[in-house]
Amino acid sequence: MQTEPLLLVPGLMCDHTVWEPLLPMLNAGRTCTVVDHGMADSLPRMARQLLDAAPDRFAIAGHSMGARVALEVLRQAPGRITRVALLDTGYQARANGAAGEEEARKRHALLALARAQGVRTMATAWVQGMVHPARLADAPLIEAILAMFERKSADVFACQIHALLERPDASGVL
Protein backbone atom coordinates (compact mmCIF):
# COMPACT_ATOMS: atom_id res chain seq x y z
CA MET A 1 0.00 0.00 0.00
CA GLN A 2 1.30 3.44 -0.95
CA THR A 3 1.76 5.79 1.99
CA GLU A 4 0.88 9.47 1.70
CA PRO A 5 3.49 11.71 0.04
CA LEU A 6 6.12 13.23 2.32
CA LEU A 7 7.23 16.83 1.92
CA LEU A 8 10.69 17.54 3.32
CA VAL A 9 11.20 21.16 4.30
CA PRO A 10 14.82 22.31 4.60
CA GLY A 11 16.18 24.89 6.98
CA LEU A 12 17.94 28.21 6.50
CA MET A 13 19.89 28.21 3.22
CA CYS A 14 19.55 24.42 2.99
CA ASP A 15 18.37 22.27 0.10
CA HIS A 16 18.04 18.59 -0.83
CA THR A 17 21.54 17.93 0.53
CA VAL A 18 20.36 17.75 4.14
CA TRP A 19 17.81 15.07 3.26
CA GLU A 20 19.87 12.93 0.83
CA PRO A 21 21.23 10.45 3.42
CA LEU A 22 17.65 9.69 4.53
CA LEU A 23 15.97 9.49 1.13
CA PRO A 24 16.62 5.76 0.48
CA MET A 25 14.71 4.91 3.67
CA LEU A 26 12.05 7.61 3.34
CA ASN A 27 11.30 6.80 -0.30
CA ALA A 28 10.30 3.22 0.54
CA GLY A 29 6.60 3.08 -0.29
CA ARG A 30 6.11 6.83 -0.65
CA THR A 31 6.95 9.81 -2.80
CA CYS A 32 9.28 12.33 -1.14
CA THR A 33 9.64 15.89 -2.34
CA VAL A 34 12.15 18.42 -1.02
CA VAL A 35 10.62 21.89 -0.89
CA ASP A 36 12.42 25.02 -2.13
CA HIS A 37 11.44 28.32 -0.50
CA GLY A 38 12.56 30.41 -3.47
CA MET A 39 12.41 34.12 -2.67
CA ALA A 40 9.62 33.88 -0.10
CA ASP A 41 10.42 36.28 2.74
CA SER A 42 7.99 35.15 5.43
CA LEU A 43 7.04 31.85 7.01
CA PRO A 44 3.37 32.32 6.04
CA ARG A 45 4.40 32.89 2.38
CA MET A 46 6.69 29.85 2.46
CA ALA A 47 3.81 27.80 3.84
CA ARG A 48 1.33 29.13 1.26
CA GLN A 49 3.77 28.40 -1.56
CA LEU A 50 4.24 24.85 -0.24
CA LEU A 51 0.49 24.30 0.09
CA ASP A 52 -0.18 25.61 -3.41
CA ALA A 53 2.15 22.95 -4.85
CA ALA A 54 1.30 20.13 -2.42
CA PRO A 55 -1.06 17.20 -2.89
CA ASP A 56 -4.41 17.27 -1.08
CA ARG A 57 -3.09 15.19 1.86
CA PHE A 58 0.52 14.68 2.85
CA ALA A 59 2.98 14.13 5.65
CA ILE A 60 5.55 16.82 6.37
CA ALA A 61 8.99 16.87 7.98
CA GLY A 62 10.82 20.11 8.61
CA HIS A 63 14.35 20.84 9.76
CA SER A 64 15.21 24.04 11.67
CA MET A 65 13.58 26.95 9.79
CA GLY A 66 11.81 24.29 7.71
CA ALA A 67 10.12 22.97 10.84
CA ARG A 68 8.90 26.50 11.55
CA VAL A 69 7.47 26.47 8.02
CA ALA A 70 5.86 23.08 8.77
CA LEU A 71 4.19 24.59 11.84
CA GLU A 72 2.85 27.41 9.68
CA VAL A 73 1.56 24.85 7.14
CA LEU A 74 -0.18 23.11 10.02
CA ARG A 75 -1.68 26.44 11.13
CA GLN A 76 -2.95 27.24 7.63
CA ALA A 77 -4.21 23.80 6.57
CA PRO A 78 -4.40 21.35 9.47
CA GLY A 79 -6.79 19.03 7.64
CA ARG A 80 -4.32 18.37 4.83
CA ILE A 81 -1.48 17.09 7.02
CA THR A 82 -1.46 13.44 8.09
CA ARG A 83 1.79 13.40 10.08
CA VAL A 84 4.35 15.97 11.21
CA ALA A 85 8.01 15.66 12.16
CA LEU A 86 9.78 18.72 13.60
CA LEU A 87 13.56 18.43 13.70
CA ASP A 88 15.96 20.76 15.55
CA THR A 89 13.68 23.76 15.67
CA GLY A 90 12.08 26.39 17.82
CA TYR A 91 8.49 27.54 17.81
CA GLN A 92 8.46 30.91 19.56
CA ALA A 93 8.56 34.37 18.02
CA ARG A 94 11.75 36.39 18.24
CA ALA A 95 12.34 37.61 21.77
CA ASN A 96 11.55 41.20 22.67
CA GLY A 97 14.20 43.60 23.90
CA ALA A 98 17.94 43.02 23.98
CA ALA A 99 17.82 39.30 23.15
CA GLY A 100 15.76 39.88 20.01
CA GLU A 101 17.94 42.80 18.98
CA GLU A 102 21.05 40.65 19.42
CA GLU A 103 19.57 37.90 17.25
CA ALA A 104 18.83 40.46 14.52
CA ARG A 105 22.32 41.98 14.82
CA LYS A 106 24.01 38.59 14.41
CA ARG A 107 21.83 37.60 11.45
CA HIS A 108 22.37 40.94 9.71
CA ALA A 109 26.14 40.70 10.29
CA LEU A 110 26.15 37.35 8.47
CA LEU A 111 24.07 38.88 5.67
CA ALA A 112 26.51 41.79 5.37
CA LEU A 113 29.37 39.30 5.12
CA ALA A 114 27.52 37.35 2.41
CA ARG A 115 26.89 40.54 0.43
CA ALA A 116 30.44 41.86 0.83
CA GLN A 117 32.50 38.67 0.47
CA GLY A 118 30.13 36.05 -0.89
CA VAL A 119 27.87 33.37 0.49
CA ARG A 120 30.70 30.83 0.75
CA THR A 121 32.71 33.15 3.02
CA MET A 122 29.63 33.72 5.17
CA ALA A 123 28.95 29.98 5.31
CA THR A 124 32.56 29.32 6.35
CA ALA A 125 32.03 31.60 9.36
CA TRP A 126 28.51 30.30 10.07
CA VAL A 127 29.51 26.63 10.02
CA GLN A 128 31.92 27.14 12.93
CA GLY A 129 29.05 27.69 15.36
CA MET A 130 26.49 25.39 13.75
CA VAL A 131 28.42 22.15 13.26
CA HIS A 132 29.52 20.11 16.24
CA PRO A 133 33.22 20.82 16.97
CA ALA A 134 34.10 17.14 16.53
CA ARG A 135 32.82 17.29 12.93
CA LEU A 136 34.55 20.52 11.87
CA ALA A 137 37.57 18.52 10.66
CA ASP A 138 35.33 16.35 8.42
CA ALA A 139 36.34 17.98 5.13
CA PRO A 140 33.71 16.24 2.93
CA LEU A 141 30.91 17.22 5.35
CA ILE A 142 32.04 20.85 5.59
CA GLU A 143 32.48 21.09 1.82
CA ALA A 144 28.96 19.71 1.27
CA ILE A 145 27.55 22.37 3.63
CA LEU A 146 29.54 25.19 2.02
CA ALA A 147 28.52 24.07 -1.48
CA MET A 148 24.88 23.83 -0.38
CA PHE A 149 24.91 27.39 0.95
CA GLU A 150 26.77 28.62 -2.11
CA ARG A 151 23.92 27.38 -4.33
CA LYS A 152 21.78 30.09 -2.72
CA SER A 153 22.30 33.82 -3.14
CA ALA A 154 22.72 36.60 -0.61
CA ASP A 155 19.25 37.78 -1.72
CA VAL A 156 17.75 34.40 -0.76
CA PHE A 157 19.61 34.67 2.56
CA ALA A 158 18.09 38.13 3.10
CA CYS A 159 14.58 36.78 2.45
CA GLN A 160 15.07 33.88 4.85
CA ILE A 161 16.57 36.09 7.56
CA HIS A 162 13.57 38.41 7.25
CA ALA A 163 11.24 35.40 7.58
CA LEU A 164 13.01 34.22 10.72
CA LEU A 165 13.17 37.62 12.36
CA GLU A 166 9.44 38.18 11.71
CA ARG A 167 8.45 34.62 12.60
CA PRO A 168 5.08 34.14 14.27
CA ASP A 169 4.78 32.38 17.60
CA ALA A 170 3.61 28.82 16.94
CA SER A 171 2.84 27.89 20.56
CA GLY A 172 -0.84 27.62 19.76
CA VAL A 173 -0.16 25.23 16.89
CA LEU A 174 1.76 22.86 19.12
Side-chain angles (χ1 to χ4, degrees):
M1 179 174 127
Q2 178 80 10
T3 307
E4 73 276 334
L6 173 60
L7 301 185
L8 302 167
V9 191
L12 179 70
M13 295 292 279
C14 294
D15 62 17
H16 64 278
T17 302
V18 298
W19 299 105
E20 280 178 358
L22 301 172
L23 286 177
M25 291 154 287
L26 295 174
N27 274 327
R30 78 171 69 235
T31 302
C32 293
T33 304
V34 178
V35 174
D36 184 337
H37 307 298
M39 295 297 291
D41 66 351
S42 75
L43 298 183
R45 278 190 203 97
M46 290 174 187
R48 176 52 37 210
Q49 184 173 280
L50 182 154
L51 285 163
D52 288 347
D56 289 337
R57 302 245 322 138
F58 57 94
I60 190 167
H63 161 250
S64 192
M65 180 189 77
R68 289 182 184 273
V69 173
L71 286 167
E72 184 60 29
V73 168
L74 195 54
R75 180 193 323 262
Q76 290 183 24
R80 292 181 60 190
I81 290 78
T82 60
R83 302 163 199 231
V84 178
L86 306 174
L87 310 168
D88 190 29
T89 193
Y91 58 91
Q92 296 175 322
R94 180 168 51 117
N96 291 321
E101 291 170 15
E102 180 63 8
E103 177 188 347
R105 186 196 65 74
K106 287 179 179 178
R107 291 186 187 279
H108 285 120
L110 286 171
L111 177 58
L113 182 60
R115 291 203 189 280
Q117 297 180 36
V119 170
R120 186 177 187 92
T121 298
M122 178 279 297
T124 301
W126 175 89
V127 78
Q128 300 303 310
M130 296 305 288
V131 171
H132 190 279
R135 298 296 306 273
L136 288 173
D138 182 340
L141 171 67
I142 299 305
E143 179 53 35
I145 293 169
L146 297 179
M148 176 178 64
F149 269 53
E150 201 169 27
R151 284 191 288 274
K152 307 279 184 180
S153 69
D155 289 339
V156 167
F157 192 39
C159 288
Q160 292 184 5
I161 285 173
H162 183 266
L164 286 172
L165 291 176
E166 299 300 319
R167 63 191 179 260
D169 187 291
S171 298
V173 178
L174 289 176

